Amino acid sequence: MPHVTLEFSKGIEQIHDVQAICDRLFSALADHPEFDANTIKIRATPVAYYRIGSEPQSFVHATLMLMQGRDEVMRTALNDLILDVLAGAIPEVGSITVQDVQMNRASYAKRLAGS
């Protein structure tokens, strides 16, 4: 854990290397003492249709999914870390937002290859 999903306005992938952004984000989270690099998952998806209130009409939204139990101070620090990485990688984007979601350990299921 964590899972990070990035949604971004279609076209950003033509200007920026989205895989490199995912790699930068992965490195920042892997360097954080809160996480084991083997448990980090990052996914990115372009969004074809959108309308936002800011100019330019471009966005990146990151959802940080964490197992429950981390306090607000830690969640805020992790959100800020993600925001800093994204803002440094794509400074011209109109809107960059980050939200954390706490997952319930009891209802989370997973299967790993070889398990």
Side-chain angles (χ1 to χ4, degrees):
M1 205 32 84
H3 294 249
V4 178
T5 56
L6 299 176
E7 296 175 304
F8 59 91
S9 49
K10 187 169 176 66
I12 287 178
E13 76 281 6
Q14 295 172 5
I15 302 166
H16 294 282
D17 182 345
V18 174
Q19 183 60 57
I21 294 168
C22 291
D23 293 343
R24 285 176 66 175
L25 188 54
F26 183 92
S27 293
L29 293 172
D31 288 344
H32 197 282
E34 191 70 15
F35 302 120
D36 172 6
N38 293 326
T39 65
I40 298 169
K41 297 165 184 71
I42 299 175
R43 300 170 188 91
T45 305
V47 176
Y49 307 101
Y50 57 89
R51 177 72 175 131
I52 62 173
S54 63
E55 293 297 333
Q57 282 292 302
S58 58
F59 75 91
V60 174
H61 175 74
T63 301
L64 169 63
M65 298 187 311
L66 298 164
M67 282 298 172
Q68 64 192 42
R70 290 180 177 87
D71 63 29
E72 188 172 324
V73 171
M74 177 57 68
R75 293 191 334 264
T76 299
L78 292 169
N79 287 342
D80 288 345
L81 173 65
I82 292 169
L83 183 63
D84 289 347
V85 169
L86 294 174
I90 46 176
E92 74 285 353
V93 168
S95 174
I96 302 174
T97 55
V98 182
Q99 176 186 11
D100 66 271
V101 175
Q102 293 191 68
M103 299 168 60
N104 184 323
R105 187 175 306 276
S107 62
Y108 177 74
K110 72 177 178 179
R111 184 206 62 84
L112 301 174
S115 298

